[in-house]
Amino acid sequence: MGTPRMFLRADRVVPDVHPEEANPMSFGEPNNPYGQQQGQPQGNPYGQQAPQGVPPQGYGYPQQPGPGGYPAYPQGAGQQPYDGGPTSMPGGVKAARIMLYVLGGFQAVFGLIMIVASAKVADYIEDNLTDSGASAQDVNNVSDFSTGLLIGLGVVTLAFAAWGILTAVKFSSGRGGIRVSAIVYASAVIAISLLNLLGANLFALISLVLGILIVVFCAKQDGGAWFKRPTY
């Protein structure tokens, strides 16, 4: 390059400098460390090019459509795809849950009645035995036995009611163990109802029907899918 020539003007002196000399860091300069080197091909700065026939994936590219035509959610490293389990409780499972609440509620009321009525039943037995001429010792023994029996049956009934109600509460977040608990509870209700039917107890027919429906609804395919769904 030659020596820059100077042009005189009336107000200032303007050097005659070529653009390459004025900006030595300009694009295309061989000595510019920030510019692109001559002969270097322009490639993908973020990685390798996708093979031919395979659409590029990643940020900035459209993802492959998911099931039903909806765009798929981008999965990260180690993320498992959703297996399509139910997102809402099926109707049969909801019905079984309501029946568990109904059975548990009636059993709780019946248990409380037995505990409260145990004292009155004991008084009634004492009066009848006294009128029949039984000894005072026999009257007390029979009265105490009757009271203890009713209180014990009431406590067992309350525990049985709590089992059904707590199982129903866990239906929304429970897994396979809650399903098994509901089926076992309903099976016990069916067995007790059959025994009560032998004594001509018509109310046992209602609990028998409810117990059978709970087993059927929980054993159905949609019920199994609900209790086997993944929880996060």
Side-chain angles (χ1 to χ4, degrees):
M1 298 184 183
T3 304
R5 296 184 299 274
M6 307 294 291
F7 292 93
L8 297 176
R9 295 182 56 180
D11 54 350
R12 61 180 176 175
V13 178
V14 180
D16 182 14
V17 182
H18 293 283
E20 295 81 359
E21 298 177 356
N23 187 10
M25 304 300 289
S26 60
F27 182 81
E29 179 66 26
N31 297 326
N32 182 7
Y34 302 100
Q36 183 178 5
Q37 300 296 329
Q38 297 180 358
Q40 181 180 359
Q42 296 182 359
N44 184 5
Y46 299 102
Q48 299 180 353
Q49 296 290 337
Q52 185 176 3
V54 178
Q57 301 290 332
Y59 295 102
Y61 294 98
Q63 301 291 330
Q64 293 293 325
Y70 295 97
Y73 188 82
Q75 299 177 5
Q79 183 178 359
Q80 299 295 330
Y82 184 64
D83 63 352
T87 57
S88 60
M89 188 181 299
V93 179
K94 290 181 179 179
R97 186 184 192 184
I98 295 174
M99 295 175 190
L100 286 172
Y101 280 126
V102 172
L103 286 174
F106 277 115
Q107 290 165 356
V109 172
F110 190 64
L112 290 175
I113 291 176
M114 284 193 294
I115 294 175
V116 172
S118 62
K120 294 184 177 180
V121 171
D123 293 339
Y124 176 78
I125 293 176
E126 288 180 0
D127 294 339
N128 289 335
L129 290 178
T130 302
D131 295 339
S132 65
S135 64
Q137 184 66 31
D138 293 337
V139 171
N140 291 332
N141 291 337
V142 174
S143 176
D144 293 341
F145 176 79
S146 300
T147 303
L149 179 61
L150 286 178
I151 293 176
L153 290 176
V155 172
V156 172
T157 305
L158 288 176
F160 202 74
W163 178 14
I165 293 175
L166 291 178
T167 301
V169 170
K170 292 291 186 179
F171 260 43
S172 58
S173 60
R175 302 298 298 273
I178 300 301
R179 180 192 184 194
V180 174
S181 176
I183 293 176
V184 173
Y185 171 84
S187 301
V189 170
I190 293 173
I192 296 173
S193 301
L194 290 175
L195 293 176
N196 290 329
L197 283 177
L198 298 177
N201 185 356
L202 296 180
F203 291 101
L205 182 61
I206 299 176
S207 61
L208 176 64
V209 174
L210 293 179
I212 293 175
L213 291 177
I214 292 173
V215 173
V216 171
F217 288 145
C218 291
K220 288 177 61 178
Q221 183 178 2
D222 56 350
W226 170 254
F227 289 105
K228 294 178 181 178
R229 74 194 187 283
T231 55
Y232 303 101

